[in-house]
Amino acid sequence: MIQNTLEKIEERLKKTESMSDENKSELLDLISTLRIEIANLSKTHNEQAESITGFTEVSTREAIRQEKNPELVKLSIAGLEKSVEGFETSHPTLVGIVNRICTMLSNLGI
């Protein structure tokens, strides 16, 4: 399920026309790194890995919509940020990747 969701995110990003090629490439790279981190996390914390993946999907969808609702973007990104809370020590790379994704999506959602 997690890998399928990440593939959907990548496909959605590749098809979107609402962002520059540079931003698209950077987000795809971040999702690729997130895939590795999520795989590691899912070995010990599968539910949290699913939650992070789900919030990433929702946040991405909201941020790249043609007709954006800034409030929905903000709420979905807040959920994504909250989903990694508590992993700062045990999975710092994961938290860093999610924070970078949140920043990019937030900037796109404006």
Side-chain angles (χ1 to χ4, degrees):
M1 180 178 143
I2 291 172
Q3 295 306 320
N4 289 342
T5 302
L6 291 170
E7 287 172 12
K8 287 179 188 176
I9 294 168
E10 289 170 335
E11 287 303 312
R12 186 174 282 128
L13 285 171
K14 287 176 185 175
K15 292 178 183 178
T16 188
E17 296 180 8
S18 66
M19 64 174 34
S20 70
D21 288 341
E22 181 181 327
N23 284 340
K24 193 182 301 188
S25 178
E26 186 175 348
L27 263 175
L28 285 168
D29 287 344
L30 289 170
I31 297 299
S32 178
T33 305
L34 179 65
R35 178 186 303 275
I36 295 164
E37 294 299 315
I38 287 292
N40 290 332
L41 180 66
S42 68
K43 293 174 187 173
T44 57
H45 297 87
N46 192 57
E47 287 183 351
Q48 288 88 344
E50 288 179 3
S51 179
I52 293 165
T53 304
F55 276 112
T56 302
E57 180 182 27
V58 170
S59 298
T60 302
R61 182 177 52 240
E62 292 302 325
I64 66 174
R65 284 174 53 169
Q66 290 295 327
E67 294 182 32
K68 294 173 183 56
N69 179 328
E71 188 62 27
L72 288 178
V73 173
K74 184 178 174 181
L75 287 171
S76 63
I77 290 172
L80 179 55
E81 289 172 332
K82 192 77 169 163
S83 71
V84 294
E85 194 172 85
F87 289 109
E88 294 87 354
T89 303
S90 61
H91 294 82
T93 304
L94 171 65
V95 174
I97 294 298
V98 168
N99 286 339
R100 287 179 56 201
I101 291 170
C102 288
T103 300
M104 283 199 71
L105 294 177
S106 179
N107 291 337
L108 292 173
I110 296 173

PDB file of all heavy atoms in Angstrom, residues 21-41:
ATOM      1  N   ASP A  21       9.215  22.889 -14.045  1.00  0.00           N
ATOM      2  CA  ASP A  21       9.960  21.639 -14.177  1.00  0.00           C
ATOM      3  C   ASP A  21      10.999  21.505 -13.068  1.00  0.00           C
ATOM      4  O   ASP A  21      11.249  20.402 -12.580  1.00  0.00           O
ATOM      5  CB  ASP A  21      10.641  21.557 -15.546  1.00  0.00           C
ATOM      6  CG  ASP A  21       9.661  21.317 -16.674  1.00  0.00           C
ATOM      7  OD1 ASP A  21       8.534  20.861 -16.404  1.00  0.00           O
ATOM      8  OD2 ASP A  21      10.024  21.584 -17.830  1.00  0.00           O
ATOM      9  N   GLU A  22      11.572  22.612 -12.667  1.00  0.00           N
ATOM     10  CA  GLU A  22      12.571  22.599 -11.587  1.00  0.00           C
ATOM     11  C   GLU A  22      11.950  22.147 -10.271  1.00  0.00           C
ATOM     12  O   GLU A  22      12.489  21.281  -9.577  1.00  0.00           O
ATOM     13  CB  GLU A  22      13.181  23.994 -11.422  1.00  0.00           C
ATOM     14  CG  GLU A  22      14.244  24.083 -10.352  1.00  0.00           C
ATOM     15  CD  GLU A  22      14.800  25.493 -10.223  1.00  0.00           C
ATOM     16  OE1 GLU A  22      14.871  26.212 -11.239  1.00  0.00           O
ATOM     17  OE2 GLU A  22      15.153  25.865  -9.090  1.00  0.00           O
ATOM     18  N   ASN A  23      10.809  22.709  -9.910  1.00  0.00           N
ATOM     19  CA  ASN A  23      10.113  22.304  -8.682  1.00  0.00           C
ATOM     20  C   ASN A  23       9.652  20.857  -8.765  1.00  0.00           C
ATOM     21  O   ASN A  23       9.741  20.111  -7.792  1.00  0.00           O
ATOM     22  CB  ASN A  23       8.913  23.209  -8.400  1.00  0.00           C
ATOM     23  CG  ASN A  23       9.315  24.550  -7.853  1.00  0.00           C
ATOM     24  OD1 ASN A  23      10.409  24.726  -7.334  1.00  0.00           O
ATOM     25  ND2 ASN A  23       8.438  25.526  -7.979  1.00  0.00           N
ATOM     26  N   LYS A  24       9.155  20.472  -9.933  1.00  0.00           N
ATOM     27  CA  LYS A  24       8.694  19.108 -10.141  1.00  0.00           C
ATOM     28  C   LYS A  24       9.847  18.126  -9.926  1.00  0.00           C
ATOM     29  O   LYS A  24       9.701  17.126  -9.225  1.00  0.00           O
ATOM     30  CB  LYS A  24       8.136  18.972 -11.555  1.00  0.00           C
ATOM     31  CG  LYS A  24       7.354  17.727 -11.805  1.00  0.00           C
ATOM     32  CD  LYS A  24       6.870  17.638 -13.242  1.00  0.00           C
ATOM     33  CE  LYS A  24       5.985  18.788 -13.640  1.00  0.00           C
ATOM     34  NZ  LYS A  24       5.362  18.594 -14.965  1.00  0.00           N
ATOM     35  N   SER A  25      10.990  18.436 -10.498  1.00  0.00           N
ATOM     36  CA  SER A  25      12.163  17.572 -10.361  1.00  0.00           C
ATOM     37  C   SER A  25      12.621  17.476  -8.913  1.00  0.00           C
ATOM     38  O   SER A  25      12.945  16.390  -8.421  1.00  0.00           O
ATOM     39  CB  SER A  25      13.291  18.110 -11.242  1.00  0.00           C
ATOM     40  OG  SER A  25      14.439  17.328 -11.103  1.00  0.00           O
ATOM     41  N   GLU A  26      12.635  18.607  -8.228  1.00  0.00           N
ATOM     42  CA  GLU A  26      13.056  18.609  -6.828  1.00  0.00           C
ATOM     43  C   GLU A  26      12.093  17.799  -5.951  1.00  0.00           C
ATOM     44  O   GLU A  26      12.525  17.012  -5.107  1.00  0.00           O
ATOM     45  CB  GLU A  26      13.162  20.036  -6.292  1.00  0.00           C
ATOM     46  CG  GLU A  26      13.734  20.101  -4.903  1.00  0.00           C
ATOM     47  CD  GLU A  26      13.966  21.517  -4.406  1.00  0.00           C
ATOM     48  OE1 GLU A  26      13.896  22.474  -5.207  1.00  0.00           O
ATOM     49  OE2 GLU A  26      14.209  21.671  -3.193  1.00  0.00           O
ATOM     50  N   LEU A  27      10.802  17.960  -6.181  1.00  0.00           N
ATOM     51  CA  LEU A  27       9.823  17.195  -5.405  1.00  0.00           C
ATOM     52  C   LEU A  27       9.922  15.707  -5.702  1.00  0.00           C
ATOM     53  O   LEU A  27       9.819  14.878  -4.794  1.00  0.00           O
ATOM     54  CB  LEU A  27       8.405  17.690  -5.692  1.00  0.00           C
ATOM     55  CG  LEU A  27       7.835  18.678  -4.696  1.00  0.00           C
ATOM     56  CD1 LEU A  27       6.479  19.179  -5.157  1.00  0.00           C
ATOM     57  CD2 LEU A  27       7.752  18.123  -3.309  1.00  0.00           C
ATOM     58  N   LEU A  28      10.138  15.354  -6.941  1.00  0.00           N
ATOM     59  CA  LEU A  28      10.298  13.945  -7.290  1.00  0.00           C
ATOM     60  C   LEU A  28      11.528  13.347  -6.612  1.00  0.00           C
ATOM     61  O   LEU A  28      11.492  12.200  -6.145  1.00  0.00           O
ATOM     62  CB  LEU A  28      10.374  13.769  -8.809  1.00  0.00           C
ATOM     63  CG  LEU A  28       9.044  13.913  -9.544  1.00  0.00           C
ATOM     64  CD1 LEU A  28       9.258  14.027 -11.050  1.00  0.00           C
ATOM     65  CD2 LEU A  28       8.106  12.765  -9.212  1.00  0.00           C
ATOM     66  N   ASP A  29      12.601  14.125  -6.539  1.00  0.00           N
ATOM     67  CA  ASP A  29      13.797  13.661  -5.820  1.00  0.00           C
ATOM     68  C   ASP A  29      13.500  13.468  -4.337  1.00  0.00           C
ATOM     69  O   ASP A  29      13.938  12.484  -3.733  1.00  0.00           O
ATOM     70  CB  ASP A  29      14.955  14.649  -5.989  1.00  0.00           C
ATOM     71  CG  ASP A  29      15.565  14.617  -7.376  1.00  0.00           C
ATOM     72  OD1 ASP A  29      15.317  13.654  -8.133  1.00  0.00           O
ATOM     73  OD2 ASP A  29      16.293  15.582  -7.719  1.00  0.00           O
ATOM     74  N   LEU A  30      12.766  14.392  -3.758  1.00  0.00           N
ATOM     75  CA  LEU A  30      12.406  14.272  -2.339  1.00  0.00           C
ATOM     76  C   LEU A  30      11.517  13.054  -2.097  1.00  0.00           C
ATOM     77  O   LEU A  30      11.699  12.333  -1.112  1.00  0.00           O
ATOM     78  CB  LEU A  30      11.705  15.546  -1.854  1.00  0.00           C
ATOM     79  CG  LEU A  30      12.588  16.780  -1.711  1.00  0.00           C
ATOM     80  CD1 LEU A  30      11.736  18.018  -1.453  1.00  0.00           C
ATOM     81  CD2 LEU A  30      13.607  16.596  -0.602  1.00  0.00           C
ATOM     82  N   ILE A  31      10.583  12.810  -2.994  1.00  0.00           N
ATOM     83  CA  ILE A  31       9.702  11.646  -2.852  1.00  0.00           C
ATOM     84  C   ILE A  31      10.517  10.358  -2.978  1.00  0.00           C
ATOM     85  O   ILE A  31      10.276   9.383  -2.260  1.00  0.00           O
ATOM     86  CB  ILE A  31       8.551  11.676  -3.888  1.00  0.00           C
ATOM     87  CG1 ILE A  31       7.647  12.897  -3.661  1.00  0.00           C
ATOM     88  CG2 ILE A  31       7.742  10.382  -3.849  1.00  0.00           C
ATOM     89  CD1 ILE A  31       6.958  12.965  -2.315  1.00  0.00           C
ATOM     90  N   SER A  32      11.500  10.361  -3.855  1.00  0.00           N
ATOM     91  CA  SER A  32      12.373   9.197  -4.005  1.00  0.00           C
ATOM     92  C   SER A  32      13.132   8.915  -2.706  1.00  0.00           C
ATOM     93  O   SER A  32      13.237   7.766  -2.268  1.00  0.00           O
ATOM     94  CB  SER A  32      13.349   9.437  -5.154  1.00  0.00           C
ATOM     95  OG  SER A  32      14.220   8.350  -5.297  1.00  0.00           O
ATOM     96  N   THR A  33      13.634   9.959  -2.083  1.00  0.00           N
ATOM     97  CA  THR A  33      14.332   9.802  -0.801  1.00  0.00           C
ATOM     98  C   THR A  33      13.350   9.405   0.289  1.00  0.00           C
ATOM     99  O   THR A  33      13.658   8.559   1.139  1.00  0.00           O
ATOM    100  CB  THR A  33      15.063  11.108  -0.422  1.00  0.00           C
ATOM    101  OG1 THR A  33      15.932  11.473  -1.494  1.00  0.00           O
ATOM    102  CG2 THR A  33      15.876  10.932   0.846  1.00  0.00           C
ATOM    103  N   LEU A  34      12.155   9.979   0.241  1.00  0.00           N
ATOM    104  CA  LEU A  34      11.123   9.622   1.216  1.00  0.00           C
ATOM    105  C   LEU A  34      10.789   8.139   1.117  1.00  0.00           C
ATOM    106  O   LEU A  34      10.587   7.476   2.137  1.00  0.00           O
ATOM    107  CB  LEU A  34       9.861  10.461   0.989  1.00  0.00           C
ATOM    108  CG  LEU A  34       8.691  10.193   1.924  1.00  0.00           C
ATOM    109  CD1 LEU A  34       9.048  10.572   3.362  1.00  0.00           C
ATOM    110  CD2 LEU A  34       7.457  10.956   1.462  1.00  0.00           C
ATOM    111  N   ARG A  35      10.766   7.605  -0.083  1.00  0.00           N
ATOM    112  CA  ARG A  35      10.470   6.187  -0.303  1.00  0.00           C
ATOM    113  C   ARG A  35      11.428   5.313   0.520  1.00  0.00           C
ATOM    114  O   ARG A  35      11.010   4.360   1.179  1.00  0.00           O
ATOM    115  CB  ARG A  35      10.581   5.853  -1.784  1.00  0.00           C
ATOM    116  CG  ARG A  35      10.338   4.401  -2.120  1.00  0.00           C
ATOM    117  CD  ARG A  35      10.602   4.117  -3.597  1.00  0.00           C
ATOM    118  NE  ARG A  35       9.818   4.934  -4.490  1.00  0.00           N
ATOM    119  CZ  ARG A  35       8.571   4.654  -4.877  1.00  0.00           C
ATOM    120  NH1 ARG A  35       7.976   3.572  -4.425  1.00  0.00           N
ATOM    121  NH2 ARG A  35       7.929   5.442  -5.705  1.00  0.00           N
ATOM    122  N   ILE A  36      12.704   5.635   0.496  1.00  0.00           N
ATOM    123  CA  ILE A  36      13.716   4.873   1.239  1.00  0.00           C
ATOM    124  C   ILE A  36      13.488   5.010   2.743  1.00  0.00           C
ATOM    125  O   ILE A  36      13.508   4.021   3.488  1.00  0.00           O
ATOM    126  CB  ILE A  36      15.135   5.351   0.856  1.00  0.00           C
ATOM    127  CG1 ILE A  36      15.410   5.036  -0.612  1.00  0.00           C
ATOM    128  CG2 ILE A  36      16.191   4.716   1.758  1.00  0.00           C
ATOM    129  CD1 ILE A  36      16.595   5.780  -1.200  1.00  0.00           C
ATOM    130  N   GLU A  37      13.263   6.227   3.194  1.00  0.00           N
ATOM    131  CA  GLU A  37      13.066   6.472   4.622  1.00  0.00           C
ATOM    132  C   GLU A  37      11.793   5.801   5.136  1.00  0.00           C
ATOM    133  O   GLU A  37      11.772   5.249   6.236  1.00  0.00           O
ATOM    134  CB  GLU A  37      13.037   7.978   4.901  1.00  0.00           C
ATOM    135  CG  GLU A  37      14.356   8.679   4.653  1.00  0.00           C
ATOM    136  CD  GLU A  37      15.467   8.137   5.530  1.00  0.00           C
ATOM    137  OE1 GLU A  37      15.248   7.934   6.744  1.00  0.00           O
ATOM    138  OE2 GLU A  37      16.572   7.913   4.999  1.00  0.00           O
ATOM    139  N   ILE A  38      10.740   5.852   4.336  1.00  0.00           N
ATOM    140  CA  ILE A  38       9.469   5.221   4.722  1.00  0.00           C
ATOM    141  C   ILE A  38       9.632   3.707   4.785  1.00  0.00           C
ATOM    142  O   ILE A  38       9.085   3.049   5.674  1.00  0.00           O
ATOM    143  CB  ILE A  38       8.343   5.628   3.747  1.00  0.00           C
ATOM    144  CG1 ILE A  38       7.934   7.074   3.983  1.00  0.00           C
ATOM    145  CG2 ILE A  38       7.138   4.708   3.856  1.00  0.00           C
ATOM    146  CD1 ILE A  38       7.251   7.364   5.292  1.00  0.00           C
ATOM    147  N   ALA A  39      10.382   3.142   3.857  1.00  0.00           N
ATOM    148  CA  ALA A  39      10.623   1.691   3.873  1.00  0.00           C
ATOM    149  C   ALA A  39      11.316   1.287   5.171  1.00  0.00           C
ATOM    150  O   ALA A  39      10.960   0.277   5.793  1.00  0.00           O
ATOM    151  CB  ALA A  39      11.459   1.274   2.669  1.00  0.00           C
ATOM    152  N   ASN A  40      12.283   2.082   5.596  1.00  0.00           N
ATOM    153  CA  ASN A  40      12.975   1.798   6.858  1.00  0.00           C
ATOM    154  C   ASN A  40      12.035   1.956   8.053  1.00  0.00           C
ATOM    155  O   ASN A  40      12.023   1.117   8.950  1.00  0.00           O
ATOM    156  CB  ASN A  40      14.191   2.710   7.026  1.00  0.00           C
ATOM    157  CG  ASN A  40      15.300   2.377   6.056  1.00  0.00           C
ATOM    158  OD1 ASN A  40      15.443   1.245   5.631  1.00  0.00           O
ATOM    159  ND2 ASN A  40      16.078   3.374   5.696  1.00  0.00           N
ATOM    160  N   LEU A  41      11.261   3.013   8.058  1.00  0.00           N
ATOM    161  CA  LEU A  41      10.336   3.256   9.166  1.00  0.00           C
ATOM    162  C   LEU A  41       9.272   2.171   9.250  1.00  0.00           C
ATOM    163  O   LEU A  41       8.903   1.747  10.352  1.00  0.00           O
ATOM    164  CB  LEU A  41       9.675   4.630   9.014  1.00  0.00           C
ATOM    165  CG  LEU A  41       8.689   5.023  10.106  1.00  0.00           C
ATOM    166  CD1 LEU A  41       9.412   5.198  11.437  1.00  0.00           C
ATOM    167  CD2 LEU A  41       7.936   6.287   9.717  1.00  0.00           C
TER     168      LEU A  41
END
